Amino acid sequence: MKKFIIRPYQNKDIKSILSIYNQSRGTPMSLEQFKALDLNAKHFGYFRRYVLEENNSILAYGHLMKRPGSREGYLITTIQVDQSHRNKGYGKAIWDRLWSLIQREKPNGLETFILDTEPISKEWAERIGFKMQAHEVESILRLKDYRPRYSLSKVPIMLDGLQYGNLANEESLDKWERACRLYLQLCQENPQFIRIDHLAIDVAKYILSPNRGVSEDSIWIAKDQEKWIGMTVLRRVHKKEMRNAFTAVCTEYQGKGIGSILKYIASDFAYERKIAYLRTFNLSANEAMLAINQRMGYKKQSGQWLMEWNLAELY
């Protein structure tokens, strides 16, 4: 039997890596989407991926990368092993290779995401130095029996003296820039709900990018006359699936039902486009938004733990 080898990722490996990656996803990602994800990652300034190969089959992979929104100087680390080849030391072998890179690059720290259905992986991460920072809960809304609330053909929608419209209906030349600024403002005003640590305009532009499946008509803004006070963002991730990737309201306007209206508008938008499933992620601390999701009919799915490791004491 040929002994396994660990080598740098090559373009020909992508289908094998995608197959392993999809083992942890409720909805499989297409090859085209995964290639776009890879392309984005390589533009972040640092991207290193290794694969573990045995008998010409890729059984595990791991990578280190920068990501907009992460803490300053932190790298994202990911390790995934084929489900039929776990508990053989492959994950540890990939980690050892990544650790040699970490010692050379000396980042301020590391972030990793672990499925909350894999407590053994969480325990292993804690043993080597990671600490849990947040729990992200995924919820899914099946739109087969959903009943729309609003007529989205009549924009702006007027409710209780406020306007709701999408970015496609805005005429200002700086509307994308303004949407990005609103996104950053909402992140700053809701730090306990939204896990964005490094706030900068390039982070907002990345998250609201058309390259990530966001379009002008999938960004909805709540307005008090000309003041933008809230937003919801939808992102297409599959032919029959969208993600309600972000919903928030300015602090002074919270508690007035605006968040609920934005969430319903997002659902109506997906329904009109014959989307089968609408998914959303929320931090477990965001009890208000989780309650809205429950009232709308969202069902909780498995989520993920965000783990962090401050490496400053090692250097």
Side-chain angles (χ1 to χ4, degrees), residues 155-156 163-176 178 216 219 221-223 225-226 228:
V155 178
Q163 303 176 39
Y164 298 84
N166 61 43
L167 212 59
N169 295 107
E170 289 290 328
E171 297 180 355
S172 59
L173 297 177
D174 65 342
K175 58 185 177 183
W176 273 102
R178 192 173 179 185
E216 284 189 352
I219 299 177
I221 307 295
K223 299 168 62 175
Q225 297 188 44
E226 294 305 312
W228 292 18

Side-chain angles (χ1 to χ4, degrees), residues 4 6 52 81 85-96:
F4 72 76
I6 296 176
L52 185 147
V81 180
H85 293 275
R86 294 184 177 179
N87 301 315
K88 297 180 180 180
Y90 294 156
K92 175 63 165 55
I94 289 281
W95 168 252
D96 289 342

Side-chain angles (χ1 to χ4, degrees), residues 131-261:
K131 296 180 180 179
M132 192 174 83
Q133 296 299 314
H135 181 208
E136 294 185 344
V137 179
E138 184 179 29
S139 302
I140 184 170
L141 180 64
R142 303 179 191 276
L143 295 171
K144 180 180 179 181
D145 300 318
Y146 178 77
R147 293 293 178 265
R149 284 201 167 194
Y150 307 109
S151 175
L152 302 188
S153 61
K154 299 178 181 178
V155 178
I157 300 168
M158 301 297 299
L159 296 167
D160 300 324
L162 301 178
Q163 303 176 39
Y164 298 84
N166 61 43
L167 212 59
N169 295 107
E170 289 290 328
E171 297 180 355
S172 59
L173 297 177
D174 65 342
K175 58 185 177 183
W176 273 102
E177 184 81 11
R178 192 173 179 185
C180 291
R181 294 292 179 190
L182 177 63
Y183 176 85
L184 294 182
Q185 177 187 343
L186 294 171
C187 288
Q188 290 168 334
E189 293 185 4
N190 299 275
Q192 72 274 34
F193 297 156
I194 304 166
R195 197 198 57 78
I196 297 291
D197 297 303
H198 179 50
L199 292 173
I201 194 67
D202 62 318
V203 175
K205 288 180 177 179
Y206 162 71
I207 291 174
L208 302 182
S209 167
N211 291 334
R212 285 176 53 82
V214 178
S215 58
E216 284 189 352
D217 60 353
S218 67
I219 299 177
W220 286 79
I221 307 295
K223 299 168 62 175
D224 185 355
Q225 297 188 44
E226 294 305 312
K227 183 178 181 180
W228 292 18
I229 61 173
M231 73 188 304
T232 191
V233 179
L234 294 108
R235 180 164 64 88
R236 185 180 286 274
V237 295
H238 191 266
K239 184 177 180 180
K240 290 293 185 179
E241 180 179 323
M242 297 190 82
R243 174 156 291 175
N244 193 184
F246 179 86
T247 304
V249 178
C250 292
T251 305
E252 62 183 293
Y253 287 88
Q254 290 177 6
K256 302 178 183 295
I258 300 170
S260 293
I261 292 172

